[in-house]
Amino acid sequence: MALLGTMIKTLLAALCALAVLASPTGAATFSMKRGLNLDQWVTWPTEDKWGGRQAILPYPEWRKFLKEDDLKALKDAGFDFLRMPIDPAPFLSDQTTALRDDLYASVLDSARMINRAGLKVVVDLHLIPAGGNRKVGMSEVMRDPAIFDAYTVLVRKMATTLAKEDPDQVALELMNEPIVDCGENGTSLWPERQKRLFATARASATRLTLVLTGGCYSNAASLAKVDPKAIADDNIIWAFHSYDPFLLTHQGATWAGDFIQYVTGLPYPLTAVPKAQLDMTLDTIRDRIRAEAPWARQSGLLAYLDEQMATMDSPEKLLGVMDQPFTTVDAWAKANDVKPQDITLGEFGMIRQEYGNGFVMPAAYRAAYVRDMIARAEAHGFSWSVWSYGGAFGIVDAFDGEKAEPDVMDVIRQLPR
């Protein structure tokens, strides 16, 4: 009888666990409102040296630069959560096998450090392109089934690592900006891949809120293609990103395609300067394209500049461009009964300076853009997290130990509490 009782208890426990996995919880456990993306520095040595403890730990790399007082200052400024990008590459490298447990432990310690500062944390698995000092990046994970399998194992282990944390304080984002389903050929690979990642994470972390997204860089239109009912779980936050209009937010970014690197000096909004001044800036951009772009690409780049400008050459058009992602997500949410508080604008922002480029975006333009995007997100009831603490888009730090202008942070501090 004792043995039978034990078997019954075991069976009931298993059924309860299955019920947790199969039944919606009603709403996401993790709640957030105003956040900031921490940096994802990648200044490590080449991958063949990643096995050295001092080269790769503590992890993520911002731990070498930021202290708890820095995090507490973000809480005081008005943020309630941080999105913490984690580069998966070291977890997928055969060079770090001996340090793998230490890497997971360091991520856990970093999340707890953020919590101790009074901030919630979204642990964001944030793939970036391979090359330079890494063999595996987004393309390899998406293209090679064996590497995607390894990534799935990483998701499971990360979920297991975080599973016992307070679900009110910690959430897990399974993949940042998946680069898949972007073409016009009708591919729809991401929904099934995300379902697989979700099932893997949920089996290991039954209580954590999981952050899911659409394909193709997590844009709003891709989120609108996702059927949230295909994943029978309500303990989910749905993310989308928007840097619209890209022509203004990524000026001078050499890594963002073969066009935007020639574009600098445009104001936000375009009406912030007299039309004659704006026309002179556009002429300067055209001259730069003619002088620096490959000859065969010049006519196309010039036409693209005119095409993009035509989409926002009046206040009404610019308003429409910036509103469209929010309108798209709002319509999707209402059609699928997704609550606004379970939607987050996971990334937005305006470049400050491309590393090595002398042009610095005037702080007043950056502050105005961030203020306008926050207003849109909050009007829809969405949480948000601006990109990012430092680097090219930095709102706290700039480069080489310098501080960013305070204008954007002042916008955050002035928000009603």
Side-chain angles (χ1 to χ4, degrees):
M1 289 295 290
L3 178 60
L4 179 61
T6 300
M7 292 174 64
I8 291 173
K9 288 180 181 179
T10 302
L11 177 60
L12 288 173
L15 290 173
C16 288
L18 287 173
V20 168
L21 293 176
S23 301
T25 63
T29 304
F30 186 89
S31 64
M32 54 186 176
K33 186 175 181 182
R34 296 167 173 172
L36 174 65
N37 284 270
L38 290 175
D39 292 337
Q40 185 174 12
W41 298 104
V42 286
T43 60
W44 317 312
T46 53
E47 189 169 341
D48 61 305
K49 296 182 175 64
W50 287 4
R53 179 175 295 273
Q54 291 190 349
I56 209 74
L57 292 168
Y59 201 78
E61 192 175 1
W62 57 261
R63 287 280 303 279
K64 297 179 180 180
F65 310 104
L66 300 187
K67 307 303 178 186
E68 285 199 32
D69 284 348
D70 297 308
L71 301 178
K72 289 177 181 176
L74 299 176
K75 168 71 173 177
D76 293 342
F79 294 111
D80 65 281
F81 78 99
L82 299 180
R83 184 170 180 254
M84 181 173 76
I86 302 294
D87 184 356
F91 296 90
L92 300 173
S93 171
D94 56 10
Q95 298 296 315
T96 63
T97 303
L99 294 175
R100 199 65 55 78
D101 289 344
D102 295 316
L103 283 168
Y104 284 105
S106 192
V107 170
L108 177 59
D109 188 52
S110 299
R112 289 174 173 174
M113 178 180 172
I114 292 170
N115 287 163
R116 286 196 302 272
L119 294 155
K120 300 181 181 185
V121 60
V122 176
V123 177
D124 157 40
L125 298 180
H126 200 108
L127 284 164
I128 61 175
N133 67 343
R134 71 205 40 245
K135 297 176 185 175
V136 175
M138 175 65 73
S139 295
E140 289 71 26
V141 169
M142 286 301 178
R143 186 175 60 234
D144 188 326
I147 298 178
F148 187 82
D149 288 345
Y151 184 86
T152 303
V153 171
L154 159 63
V155 168
R156 176 177 61 80
K157 290 184 177 179
M158 191 64 74
T160 301
T161 299
L162 302 172
K164 294 182 180 179
E165 299 304 289
D166 184 347
D168 289 330
Q169 298 297 314
V170 178
L172 175 61
E173 185 166 353
L174 305 186
M175 184 183 287
N176 173 75
E177 294 193 353
I179 305 179
V180 65
D181 298 348
C182 289
E184 298 178 358
N185 57 2
T187 59
S188 185
L189 302 175
W190 178 240
E192 288 305 315
R193 293 185 184 185
Q194 179 161 250
K195 283 171 66 176
R196 179 179 167 190
L197 295 176
F198 168 81
T200 298
R202 180 57 80 218
S204 299
T206 59
R207 299 164 64 238
L208 285 187
T209 296
L210 302 178
V211 180
L212 306 185
T213 187
C216 197
Y217 298 93
S218 297
N219 65 45
S222 293
L223 180 59
K225 295 177 182 177
V226 172
D227 178 8
K229 297 180 179 63
I231 297 178
D233 191 314
D234 283 346
N235 195 10
I236 291 170
I237 289 176
W238 295 94
F240 74 104
H241 297 177
S242 179
Y243 290 94
D244 293 333
F246 197 82
L247 183 70
L248 302 186
T249 62
H250 281 66
Q251 295 182 57
T254 57
W255 40 267
D258 69 344
F259 166 71
I260 199 70
Q261 61 185 298
Y262 303 110
V263 178
T264 57
L266 293 176
Y268 176 83
L270 294 176
T271 53
V273 299
K275 186 177 184 306
Q277 182 178 337
L278 176 62
D279 290 342
M280 287 178 62
T281 299
L282 289 168
D283 285 342
T284 299
I285 294 169
R286 294 185 182 101
D287 289 343
R288 188 178 300 134
I289 290 172
R290 294 186 184 102
E292 300 176 14
W295 179 84
R297 292 283 294 130
Q298 289 180 17
S299 61
L301 295 178
L302 292 168
Y304 186 71
L305 174 64
D306 292 341
E307 175 187 311
Q308 291 298 301
M309 288 298 298
T311 66
M312 55 181 177
D313 60 3
S314 71
E316 294 76 21
K317 288 183 180 179
L318 178 59
L319 184 70
V321 169
M322 295 179 66
D323 280 344
Q324 185 58 57
F326 296 93
T327 302
T328 297
V329 172
D330 190 63
W332 168 83
K334 289 175 179 174
N336 291 283
D337 197 27
V338 177
K339 300 176 180 65
Q341 63 265 33
D342 291 340
I343 298 173
T344 189
L345 174 60
E347 287 185 24
F348 68 102
M350 179 174 280
I351 195 168
R352 177 184 178 274
Q353 181 184 23
E354 171 65 65
Y355 190 77
N357 188 330
F359 174 75
V360 177
M361 180 68 72
Y365 298 161
R366 301 182 69 221
Y369 179 80
V370 167
R371 181 178 59 247
D372 289 350
M373 289 292 281
I374 288 172
R376 284 172 169 79
E378 296 197 348
H380 286 277
F382 304 157
S383 61
W384 51 263
S385 47
V386 63
W387 187 274
S388 60
Y389 188 93
F393 283 69
I395 68 170
V396 179
D397 286 350
F399 293 115
D400 302 324
E402 298 294 325
K403 291 292 181 183
E405 298 83 355
D407 302 54
V408 177
M409 284 297 292
D410 286 345
V411 167
I412 309 299
R413 292 187 183 97
Q414 292 164 11
L415 292 172
R417 300 291 180 99

